[in-house]
Amino acid sequence: MLAPEIIRRKRDGHTLQAPEIAAFAQGLADGSWSDAQAGAMAMAILLRGMDRAETVALTEAMTASGAVLDWSQAGLPGPVLDKHSTGGVGDKVSLLLAPIVACCGGVVPMVSGRGLGHTGGTLDKLEALPGYTVDQPPDRLAAVLRSVGCAIVGASARLAPADRRLYAIRDVTATVESVPLITASILSKKRAAGLQALVLDVKVGSGAFAQDAALAHTLATSLVQVARGAGLPATALVTDMAQVLGSTAGNALEVRESLDALTGRAADARLLDVTLGLSAELLHLGGLHASVDAALQAARQALASGAAAERFARMVAALGGPADVLRDAQLPTAPVQRVVPAPRAGVVAALDVRAIGLAVVALGGGRRRNGDTVDPRVGFSGVRGLGTAVQAGTPLATVHAASADAADAAAAALLAACRIDDSAPPPPPWLHARIAG
């Protein structure tokens, strides 16, 4: 099938057939489609859209473009489950969810990503732990899953290579925002990981990709319907990202907050609500509990008993990190730490969470371009949430920076991102919607 003819058909609004879509995915994987042709196709899909059947076909074709993990002979102790988030600021849920689900009988081969734009990346967070190695060969990954039940690692280049190439092309051709392309990108990688069930965390708010409710619901519905159409049971929760999730943003700081939550030293209520809600959905979807309520109780017990903390420590040690991360995490600290005081009394009424994420990137905690080195030490701690009453001089957050000048810039960015009024409506709930197939 000729690439120009397939592009022309989608450009003119026709519904593509599965063989045409398979030819596109194969051309991405083997290089027979040029970057120009792939970019043109991505733009045609962005402008003309894809129906559910087309998106299922694209997901399946990109999954089949590389290796698909098969756990049937690996001797794993439970169903293979995972979670995916569309990304936010301070989103450290994966670090809590994976060990919780493992304690409750699931097996979690969590293939995660790095920071993108203003959003943080799970792999960057974990690499703040000295020695933690995200690139693991399949036999080592299987061994860790058998012994620990969870492993948070990076994607192999062998998984969904068609998506790997298309993702890079979308980034430079203004075609990132296509819901069918986002859907197929997420699900092709997850299906290639050999999952039996998937829960999706679709963020909505100023710190999310989907900043309005309509887009978040459209994306969540697409993900669930296409996943199920491709044979992967899935449920999506639309969760709030109108404020930083938890009280930290920045890699080592978020690991520290996660350890505090796992051990019960300190825990943000919204972070726990999101984590436990997603864990319960996944445990129910994976057949480990007859109801979401029963699964929620099991997840809470795994956290409260300390079993999830112990499981996280075993995972970190097995993947090359500190031998006893609960006692000595060996996390790096920034040389400059500066409190950002509230300029007036009132209530935190609004936060530009995207701007806060970009401030972390500017500190060095994210990448401005591919190949940048991430500074794990920097970011914000003690970030005040919506509805918090403050006095003039009350700390709004603490900046962790590599230099005084960087701390000054980050403090100014945080103040510009925070609106303090005399009063404010109640903050939005953590859960906006639940979408099941």
Side-chain angles (χ1 to χ4, degrees):
M1 296 182 182
L2 296 177
E5 291 305 310
I6 298 173
I7 296 166
R8 181 178 292 110
R9 278 177 43 74
K10 178 47 66 179
R11 181 202 68 187
D12 293 343
H14 296 288
T15 299
L16 297 180
Q17 301 303 307
E20 295 172 305
I21 293 170
F24 171 49
Q26 185 61 38
L28 288 167
D30 65 18
S32 59
W33 280 48
S34 69
D35 284 358
Q37 289 170 327
M41 184 66 166
M43 185 61 74
I45 293 170
L46 173 76
L47 296 176
R48 291 296 193 173
M50 279 184 152
D51 64 21
R52 176 183 168 184
E54 287 178 291
T55 311
V56 169
L58 180 59
T59 299
E60 292 180 328
M62 292 204 301
T63 300
S65 70
V68 177
L69 299 180
D70 180 3
W71 303 108
S72 60
Q73 304 301 314
L76 300 184
V80 181
L81 313 174
D82 200 2
K83 183 270 302 181
H84 178 83
S85 170
T86 57
V89 179
D91 181 2
K92 54 201 68 83
V93 168
S94 293
L95 279 62
L96 308 178
L97 178 144
I100 288 172
V101 171
C103 286
C104 296
V107 176
V108 188
M110 188 174 285
V111 178
S112 295
R114 300 193 180 277
L116 180 65
H118 70 283
T119 65
T122 298
L123 300 184
D124 296 326
K125 301 182 209 303
L126 286 168
E127 286 183 333
L129 293 165
Y132 192 101
T133 304
V134 301
D135 297 320
Q136 297 287 340
D139 57 344
R140 179 59 186 157
L141 175 59
V144 174
L145 291 174
R146 281 193 296 270
S147 64
V148 180
C150 60
I152 304 176
V153 296
S156 163
R158 301 182 306 122
L159 299 183
D163 174 67
R164 181 182 294 267
R165 184 169 174 227
L166 182 58
Y167 192 94
I169 289 169
R170 287 167 55 212
D171 193 38
V172 297
T173 56
T175 54
V176 169
E177 294 83 359
S178 165
V179 168
L181 293 180
I182 294 169
T183 300
S185 176
I186 291 170
L187 295 179
S188 62
K189 292 190 288 284
K190 291 301 181 182
R191 288 194 69 239
L195 305 182
Q196 293 170 261
L198 173 67
V199 68
L200 296 143
D201 182 6
V202 179
K203 303 293 189 187
V204 61
S206 67
F209 162 75
Q211 296 196 9
D212 66 87
L215 177 56
H217 280 70
T218 297
L219 179 56
T221 301
S222 175
L223 286 163
V224 169
Q225 291 183 348
V226 172
R228 290 180 176 262
L232 177 60
T235 297
L237 299 185
V238 180
T239 68
D240 186 66
M241 188 43 71
Q243 55 188 316
V244 173
L245 186 55
S247 63
T248 59
N251 297 306
L253 297 168
E254 292 187 48
V255 174
R256 171 53 62 196
E257 184 178 7
S258 299
L259 290 169
D260 288 345
L262 285 166
T263 57
R265 286 191 292 261
D268 176 83
R270 291 174 70 86
L271 174 60
L272 291 187
D273 284 342
V274 174
T275 300
L276 293 171
L278 289 164
S279 299
E281 290 286 348
L282 188 54
L283 291 168
H284 173 57
L285 195 63
L288 290 166
H289 288 278
S291 70
V292 174
D293 286 343
L296 182 60
Q297 292 304 314
R300 284 177 173 157
Q301 178 60 25
L303 185 62
S305 67
E310 186 269 341
R311 193 71 63 115
F312 181 80
R314 286 169 55 195
M315 179 191 76
V316 168
L319 295 174
D324 186 358
V325 73
L326 302 181
R327 182 181 61 83
D328 181 15
Q330 304 174 39
L331 291 165
T333 58
V336 178
Q337 299 179 24
R338 182 169 302 166
V339 170
V340 183
R344 51 158 289 191
V347 179
V348 178
L351 292 166
D352 183 343
V353 186
R354 184 175 187 275
I356 294 173
L358 290 173
V360 175
V361 175
L363 282 166
R367 297 173 184 81
R368 300 172 190 260
R369 61 189 66 84
N370 284 338
D372 281 356
T373 300
V374 169
D375 186 344
R377 305 170 298 172
V378 302
F380 297 100
S381 65
V383 181
R384 299 284 180 172
L386 294 175
T388 303
V390 296
Q391 299 297 319
T394 297
L396 293 175
T398 297
V399 178
H400 299 249
S403 69
D405 288 345
D408 290 341
L414 183 79
L415 287 171
C418 181
R419 193 181 83 228
I420 299 174
D421 292 340
D422 293 333
S423 62
W430 72 268
L431 179 62
H432 287 240
R434 176 182 184 270
I435 297 172

